Amino acid sequence: MKLRIATMSFIALLSLAPRAMGNEDISAHKTEILAEMDEKIAKLQENRTCVSAATTKEALKECRSKMKAWRESERKEHLEQRRGKLDQKIQKLEKQKAELGK
């Protein structure tokens, strides 16, 4: 279910990207998004292979823990990117505020 939601989110992002960028060349942005999607698909396939090869309950737990660790690192990376963007916006707003105060 989560994979389906993520896929739908990517499709929505791809459909909105051209409008947000106007007439700019979006091929580089599309390439970046597709590379990220391919990385996630490869990781899911790796986990699927792990689960398929598992013969014990412990092996299944190991597969799950590896996938969970990867997802947590992905979330952490995403949050750090968001934090960076928010910091940039705050600096921009403070600069505008300072310019208006002069």
Side-chain angles (χ1 to χ4, degrees), residues 2-75:
K2 289 182 182 181
L3 178 61
R4 186 175 184 192
I5 293 170
T7 304
M8 291 170 46
S9 298
F10 276 120
I11 291 170
L13 176 65
L14 288 175
S15 67
L16 293 176
R19 288 185 221 136
M21 294 185 172
N23 294 330
E24 296 177 17
D25 180 27
I26 63 166
S27 61
H29 188 65
K30 284 172 45 176
T31 302
E32 184 179 311
I33 291 171
L34 290 171
E36 289 174 5
M37 290 175 74
D38 288 341
E39 178 185 330
K40 289 178 182 182
I41 290 169
K43 201 64 174 166
L44 288 170
Q45 287 175 337
E46 181 183 320
N47 188 51
R48 187 179 195 282
T49 302
C50 181
V51 170
S52 295
T55 56
T56 64
K57 190 173 185 176
E58 291 77 24
L60 284 173
K61 285 183 180 181
E62 183 65 26
C63 294
R64 184 180 182 281
S65 67
K66 286 180 185 178
M67 191 65 180
K68 184 176 179 180
W70 176 74
R71 283 183 295 189
E72 287 175 358
S73 70
E74 286 288 305
R75 281 190 206 115

Side-chain angles (χ1 to χ4, degrees), residues 55-99:
T55 56
T56 64
K57 190 173 185 176
E58 291 77 24
L60 284 173
K61 285 183 180 181
E62 183 65 26
C63 294
R64 184 180 182 281
S65 67
K66 286 180 185 178
M67 191 65 180
K68 184 176 179 180
W70 176 74
R71 283 183 295 189
E72 287 175 358
S73 70
E74 286 288 305
R75 281 190 206 115
K76 183 178 179 182
E77 182 180 318
H78 178 72
L79 288 174
E80 288 173 0
Q81 288 174 352
R82 284 185 63 196
R83 184 174 295 140
K85 289 179 181 179
L86 287 174
D87 288 343
Q88 289 175 351
K89 286 182 180 180
I90 289 170
Q91 289 174 356
K92 183 179 177 181
L93 289 172
E94 288 175 350
K95 183 179 177 182
Q96 290 174 347
K97 183 178 178 182
E99 289 175 358

